[in-house]
Amino acid sequence: MSAHNRGTEFDLSWISKIQVNQPAVLRRAEQIQARRTVKKEWQAAWLLKAVTFIDLTTLSGDDTSSNIQRLCYKAKYPIREDLLKALNMQDKDITTAAVCVYPARVCDAVKALKAAGCTIPVASVATGFPAGQTHLKTRLEEIRLAVEDGAMEIDVVINRTLVLTGQWEALYDEIRQFRKACGEAHLKTILATGELGSLTNVYKASMIAMMAGSDFIKTSTGKETVNATFPVAIVMLRAIRDFFWKTGNKIGFKPAGGIRSAKDSLAWLSLIKEELGDEWLKPELFRIGASALLSDIERQIYHHVTGRYAAYHDLPMS
């Protein structure tokens, strides 16, 4: 990943006069969704690119060391070897960007990836995921323990109450403490945008999170009723662009929740390309949080190579 975002001093003037033009955002979102997707070999190339952005995720109550092991194996070998050979991509070392798990499973993931002989980072959710409604002291300790266990990236959730009540400096202070607790690990801040009430709040929360030192801003936990949507993404991406213009710092973006089809992933890639440019289309600055997405991408690549759709037993799942 790229160097840490050191953040800036708290400055309310960056957000105090902001008002998001919702109809314009919705029009832009419709444009993106209506666009025809790339076809044939260009589609296969874009889908392989999409694989390298995936934070392959399992956040279930019934996670065990054995399904974490399978997940890690799938992260290292996301696409069947014979399919990669058919595309002449077998020596390109295509893996997912990271593996994302609960804090208690970080040790299992680190161990499994080490056994597989790969350097894919482990990301851990933290800070009372998904609601963030635990004591600050507990939330900070959760970050420290995940980092101790070997997590290289921490996906924290913000306290939505602070956004909904306009306590921007308190939000800044909390994220600043998360940043400090992460040490050398990268900080990805989940805004849970479906619970922030308005697109204006989404912009403000994005800007505060970046000011406070977030390396990435992320749409959702995947557990809310509304997760990654294009209108929210456009607002967050414009905030990233504004922050870059103000500070020269490039902050990453991670949509998560509900991104399940290969076609969806292509729309997200084109949105990033259009809003922020090609320099953001790399795992250091763009991730997709997903669990089911990889299976569909592999099925589409299988179809491209063989001309038929795979039966479920043709493709091993993590």
Side-chain angles (χ1 to χ4, degrees), residues 35-285:
R35 192 154 304 150
R36 291 184 62 183
T37 186
V38 286
K39 299 290 181 193
K40 299 186 179 171
E41 59 269 35
W42 292 279
Q43 186 182 78
W46 272 66
L47 289 176
L48 287 177
K49 183 96 169 153
V51 168
T52 67
F53 298 133
I54 293 174
D55 279 359
L56 195 58
T57 302
T58 181
L59 296 168
S60 301
D62 57 359
D63 285 338
T64 62
S65 57
S66 60
N67 78 308
I68 298 295
Q69 216 171 343
R70 289 199 305 277
L71 189 84
C72 292
Y73 186 85
K74 190 67 180 171
K76 183 168 165 60
Y77 303 106
I79 305 293
R80 239 171 54 177
E81 184 74 7
D82 59 319
L83 300 177
L84 290 175
K85 276 183 181 155
L87 296 166
N88 202 23
M89 295 293 283
Q90 70 276 16
D91 55 352
K92 294 288 188 272
D93 195 28
I94 290 171
T95 69
T96 68
V99 165
C100 184
V101 296
Y102 272 121
R105 301 266 73 93
V106 169
C107 280
D108 294 334
V110 169
K111 196 170 150 191
L113 289 166
K114 197 174 176 184
C118 71
T119 55
I120 299 169
V122 174
S124 172
V125 296
T127 64
F129 179 96
Q133 294 279 14
T134 52
H135 290 295
L136 181 59
K137 191 176 175 184
T138 315
R139 286 182 279 152
L140 292 169
E141 189 61 14
E142 199 173 28
I143 295 173
R144 291 188 203 102
L145 291 171
V147 172
E148 255 174 52
D149 286 346
M152 305 283 289
E153 302 172 9
I154 303 293
D155 289 33
V156 301
V157 287
I158 64 166
N159 180 345
R160 279 74 109 186
T161 308
L162 298 177
V163 175
L164 295 169
T165 54
Q167 297 179 68
W168 301 112
E169 194 162 6
L171 179 64
Y172 172 90
D173 290 341
E174 276 202 359
I175 299 172
R176 208 82 182 127
Q177 290 181 68
F178 297 162
R179 160 82 281 159
K180 194 177 171 190
C182 281
E184 286 306 301
H186 278 79
L187 173 65
K188 309 207 309 268
T189 301
I190 305 168
L191 304 181
T193 53
E195 297 176 354
L196 297 187
S198 71
L199 290 177
T200 299
N201 275 349
V202 169
Y203 182 95
K204 290 179 176 182
S206 299
M207 196 56 89
I208 294 292
M210 293 184 285
M211 262 188 218
S214 304
D215 298 303
F216 263 74
I217 52 175
K218 176 176 167 183
T219 59
S220 328
T221 63
K223 309 285 187 185
E224 295 98 65
T225 46
V226 179
N227 292 291
T229 67
F230 286 115
V232 154
I234 290 161
V235 171
M236 291 174 72
L237 293 171
R238 300 279 168 96
I240 287 172
R241 196 182 351 176
D242 291 349
F243 188 80
F244 175 62
W245 285 343
K246 284 175 188 288
T247 67
N249 289 342
K250 290 178 184 164
I251 306 302
F253 174 68
K254 178 178 171 180
I259 304 171
R260 293 190 180 88
S261 74
K263 190 181 174 191
D264 287 345
S265 70
L266 296 176
W268 283 101
L269 263 66
S270 59
L271 177 65
I272 300 302
K273 185 178 169 70
E274 289 180 23
E275 289 290 327
L276 294 175
D278 286 340
E279 57 201 299
W280 256 267
L281 275 178
K282 54 186 183 183
E284 292 81 12
L285 290 169

Side-chain angles (χ1 to χ4, degrees), residues 271-303:
L271 177 65
I272 300 302
K273 185 178 169 70
E274 289 180 23
E275 289 290 327
L276 294 175
D278 286 340
E279 57 201 299
W280 256 267
L281 275 178
K282 54 186 183 183
E284 292 81 12
L285 290 169
F286 178 56
R287 298 287 181 83
I288 299 172
S291 46
L293 172 62
L294 181 55
S295 298
D296 195 55
I297 289 179
E298 195 173 18
R299 286 184 79 232
Q300 296 303 326
I301 287 170
Y302 183 98
H303 180 263

